[in-house]
Amino acid sequence: MYARVAAATTAALLGAGALTLPSATAHAADRPSAQTSASHKRPLVVAHRGASAYAPENTFAAIDKAADMGFRWVENDVQRTKDGELVIMHDDTLKRTTDVEERYPDRAPWKVADFTAKEIATLDAGSWFGPEYAGQRVPTLKQYMNRVSRNHQSLVFEFKKPELYPGIEAQGLAVLRKTGWLDRHHVKNKLVIQSFSADSVKTVHKLRPDIKTGFLGTPAVADLPEYAKFSDQINSTHTSISGEYVAAIHALKGPHRKRLEIFTWTVNNATAAQRVAGFGVDGIITNTPDVVRKAVSGRVSG
Ligand code: G3P
Ligand code: CA
């Protein structure tokens, strides 16, 4: 079934025609100035799984909270149910962030891929975080994209464990297209697609070369040129990077002939935020966007 979906959606996507090259990831107000030296520029702040320190991750509450706090950029994780629906969930089981164990005690280990969309839609994805979030749901990708649109937000979209879900890239792109996220404006300004799987990033790049992509990891400097053939960003954990590493990334051009970028994660305190900002990173992905915003507020934005 998924192979058929993937083949059909691949054809539709490749037929999309008007492929436009993305400019910068950020809106003008968030964009670091090209003239600003790396040591002074203000990185883009991205709310990781939404404002996930303050509301249950990957729910409407988390992205709404980010919007309320003034953050336009959010990050998510996309996986697939037993019956082929794409949903927003970080872990490949439902155990940590829903009441699935209580509701379905006999279905350990509660994998996302073992539950139908209808079953997942009834789970409580908020009570684990706090009683005030009881009744938050696991959004489908379609619901999530509509909510991000409603909030006028932008998205770092992650294909999570794509090796578990053959064809998920074409399927995800089809949902993005249907929800209006693959038009010129969105592709140019409001979307990055990333994964820990280089194969998945390559697939996205092949299907829609206009989309800005990110590889999650810290490849050896010698290998960066290979990644730069299909990835516009190298998005590394903040503990793995240095000023030299960021400079090595910035010395290269990505597939769109623009400077390779780095969004680093998951930076949740001021000291770490100031450290990576000093390296000149382009973006900081954080559970505490308010803390990071304050820490980098003295820097210059474009
Ligand atoms: O966006 C970077 C980050 O989300 C990657 O790690 O495990 O939180 O998805 P993880
Ligand atoms: Ca993620």
Side-chain angles (χ1 to χ4, degrees):
M1 167 188 175
Y2 305 133
R4 275 209 311 278
V5 171
T9 51
T10 299
L13 289 158
L14 289 173
L19 300 183
T20 56
L21 296 182
S23 58
T25 302
H27 292 268
D30 292 335
R31 193 182 305 140
S33 163
Q35 275 76 46
T36 305
S37 73
S39 61
H40 289 96
K41 77 175 186 181
R42 187 190 306 167
L44 183 73
V45 180
V46 180
H48 183 235
R49 312 179 197 170
S52 59
Y54 309 113
E57 65 185 55
N58 281 329
T59 64
F60 282 0
I63 52 178
D64 292 354
K65 181 71 180 174
D68 291 346
M69 294 167 77
F71 293 96
R72 281 183 286 189
W73 280 83
V74 294
E75 186 261 9
N76 73 2
D77 303 280
V78 178
Q79 299 192 58
R80 188 160 70 200
T81 67
K82 184 178 182 180
D83 54 341
E85 184 81 47
L86 299 188
V87 293
I88 310 304
M89 176 63 53
H90 178 271
D91 299 0
D92 63 2
T93 79
L94 299 156
K95 187 166 181 263
R96 181 177 60 86
T97 57
T98 76
D99 60 349
V100 70
E101 192 171 358
E102 195 180 304
R103 295 278 312 286
Y104 297 95
D106 302 327
R107 289 176 61 183
W110 302 285
K111 287 193 171 294
V112 176
D114 290 341
F115 284 77
T116 66
K118 197 172 170 189
E119 288 169 336
I120 290 174
T122 68
L123 299 176
D124 182 336
S127 291
W128 70 275
F129 190 89
E132 67 274 35
Y133 293 106
Q136 283 293 313
R137 300 298 174 203
V138 175
T140 65
L141 177 59
K142 183 178 174 196
Q143 291 167 342
Y144 185 94
M145 297 315 302
N146 289 334
R147 190 72 164 207
V148 175
S149 294
R150 189 204 77 154
N151 290 349
H152 306 288
Q153 287 170 309
S154 301
L155 179 63
V156 179
F157 172 124
E158 182 182 345
F159 282 115
K160 178 60 75 188
K161 298 204 172 174
E163 60 278 9
L164 298 179
Y165 312 110
I168 194 172
E169 296 84 5
Q171 191 183 356
L173 291 176
V175 175
L176 290 176
R177 184 175 53 76
K178 284 183 192 151
T179 50
W181 276 73
L182 294 189
D183 66 9
R184 185 188 169 95
H185 170 66
H186 285 79
V187 168
K188 190 174 176 191
N189 302 300
K190 296 174 74 77
L191 180 67
V192 176
I193 297 184
Q194 65 174 2
S195 183
F196 284 102
S197 162
D199 285 344
S200 188
V201 180
K202 277 183 200 168
T203 299
V204 170
H205 181 63
K206 193 171 169 190
L207 290 172
R208 281 291 299 239
D210 54 334
I211 292 176
K212 191 168 193 172
T213 54
F215 172 70
L216 284 161
T218 314
V221 168
D223 295 334
L224 288 173
E226 199 53 41
Y227 287 86
K229 291 177 183 168
F230 57 88
S231 192
D232 300 276
Q233 298 182 340
I234 302 295
N235 295 342
S236 315
T237 179
H238 73 99
T239 53
S240 71
I241 65 171
S242 62
E244 290 71 28
Y245 192 72
V246 172
I249 288 172
H250 285 163
L252 295 170
K253 285 194 162 62
H256 300 107
R257 308 307 304 153
K258 292 179 183 293
R259 192 183 72 155
L260 198 62
E261 295 181 338
I262 173 168
F263 283 14
T264 191
W265 49 276
T266 307
V267 177
N268 295 328
N269 66 72
T271 304
Q274 283 162 357
R275 173 177 172 271
V276 296
F279 296 161
V281 299
D282 304 283
I284 298 179
I285 301 174
T286 170
N287 300 341
T288 54
D290 52 339
V291 171
V292 172
R293 175 170 58 192
K294 189 171 175 207
V296 302
S297 62
R299 293 174 179 275
V300 178
S301 70

